[in-house]
Amino acid sequence: MTRASSTRPATPPQVQSSTVVPVLAFSGIVVSLTQTLMIPLVPKLPELLHARAADAAWAITATLLAAAVATPTIGRLGDMYGKRRMLLFSLGMLVLGSVVCALSDGLAPMVVGRVLQGLSSGVIPLGISIMRDELPPERLGGATALMSASLGVGGALGLPAAAFIAENANWHTLFWVAAALGAVAAVLVTSLVPESQARTGGRFDLPGAVGLSVALLCLLLVISKGADWGWTGGVTPGLLIAGLVVLAAWGRWELRTPQPLVDLRTTARRQVLLTNIASVVFGFAMFATSLVIPQLLQLPEATGYGLGQSILAAGLVMAPNGLIMMAMAPVSARISQTRGPKVTLMVGALVVAVGYGSSLLMLSSIWQLMIASSIIGAGVGLAYGAMPALVMAAVPVSETAAANSLNTLMRSIGTSLSSSVAGVVLAHMTIELGGAALPSLGGFRVVLGIGAVAALFALLIAAFLPGQPTNRDQELA
């Protein structure tokens, strides 16, 4: 199999590198913000889309499934045909999907638009890969940490902004704003981000892409819809078996084809494998706070533990979480430069565990929830900055986008698992209020406790990573 050279391209001029980072980070923030836009609309979706609640939920699920399918495929195409080209394609899908949603008044076009928006999920791993190609080694650690943090920043800023727009304007405005931001990002990328010359070339592995997509669709449908459909009968067991069978056949194909979608031999390297496993667990851990704290803030005070806040107020309480994630990007890079990204990941996991532990005792007021959320955000910012460094240190430049995309997919699978598990816990631990079943305080504490345990498990996995040199040493090697 012919591969492109892994030699780093010549360092670009400083003026060029100084524009690449903010443009790519802005693009990442726009994509993550777009994923948050639907949250204020969730309770109203059946009415807005003239559909049953179970059907309206597909407006959320469709984006998750599309993102899972698109991320590894777009990453591989980026390695083969140009990362900037696929980045612009992803932003184009975001703009097109947002316009379709903005023009929608029914379920079918909304689902189509949300699928198109989901296809933009490869922006963050592609951005990290472009940074590896274009930035000098001394700037790479901080830049990739900032790009990783953009996922949380967009979500934290998007929630209050979306709530404000939804409360004060027609709900279609949310998607027109998303389309405008996506268009701005595309123009900036076109003008200021160069195309990398690091390519793998060769032929795209279409059977591998189809096989992985089918397996992921089956397994993620089980994760996201299993609680609604039932775990023991009907569609759920069949999808689970089908997904596992297709995944096994896909793995066999990938090991035999000369130009695989995912190089499983590279993925099986200890450093890459453990980082991806830790990413699943960490994605599970970090998402619990996003499921618990907004609900606690919005539940009525009559429950005895709810704080009776609006969704706008809840979004403002969560906003510092994302801002702290961004603020931790240079700290994450500094620790990785001096102690190695393994240590950074371990410290991040420990901080998240401390944040969840403190949250078990800090649920009675807004300021307590804000502090607990901010501690967790700091840990996530540290860990998310370390994961791309760990992956890129173990793969050749010609496979950077595919490897980062797979790592992003692992985090997404973790958050999907977290949502499913938390949903089951909160559905079974309830109280009655005014004839309605609401999640109990004990249920919230169980979910937070699970988040703490998951963070400690991620810490344990990270401890078995190989000893790490500094980021600068990795990039010069």
Side-chain angles (χ1 to χ4, degrees), residues 256-389:
R256 292 189 169 195
T257 189
Q259 296 176 321
L261 177 75
V262 178
D263 190 335
L264 293 181
R265 292 179 177 84
T266 298
T267 305
R269 293 175 184 173
R270 178 181 170 189
Q271 182 163 316
V272 180
L273 179 63
L274 289 180
T275 301
N276 284 334
I277 294 173
S279 297
V280 174
V281 179
F282 204 86
F284 185 101
M286 62 82 64
F287 199 61
T289 183
S290 301
L291 298 169
V292 169
I293 293 180
Q295 290 193 66
L296 276 172
L297 287 164
Q298 294 177 75
L299 281 174
E301 294 180 354
T303 59
Y305 49 86
L307 299 177
Q309 301 296 311
S310 67
I311 190 169
L312 176 58
L316 291 173
V317 171
M318 294 294 292
N321 175 287
L323 297 177
I324 287 175
M325 284 180 62
M326 177 174 282
M328 293 306 293
V331 179
S332 175
R334 181 62 178 168
I335 296 174
S336 294
Q337 288 167 357
T338 56
R339 303 297 300 274
K342 170 185 175 178
V343 174
T344 312
L345 179 57
M346 293 176 68
V347 172
L350 181 60
V351 172
V352 170
V354 170
Y356 277 117
S358 65
S359 70
L360 293 172
L361 305 173
M362 301 173 65
L363 299 176
S364 59
S365 65
I366 293 177
W367 70 267
Q368 290 180 343
L369 292 176
M370 187 179 292
I371 289 175
S373 171
S374 297
I375 295 172
I376 294 169
V380 172
L382 288 171
Y384 271 18
M387 290 173 188

Side-chain angles (χ1 to χ4, degrees), residues 51-67:
R52 295 182 305 137
D55 294 333
W58 283 103
I60 306 297
T61 306
T63 305
L64 165 70
L65 299 178

Side-chain angles (χ1 to χ4, degrees), residues 75 110 140 181 183 217 253 375 379 415 419 432 458:
M110 176 62 74
L140 183 61
L181 291 174
L217 284 172
W253 168 266
I375 295 172
T415 58
S419 178
E432 291 289 332

Side-chain angles (χ1 to χ4, degrees), residues 174-197:
L174 291 170
F175 297 102
W176 288 120
V177 171
L181 291 174
V184 170
V187 170
L188 291 174
V189 169
T190 302
S191 304
L192 300 173
V193 176
E195 180 61 89
S196 169
Q197 299 305 308

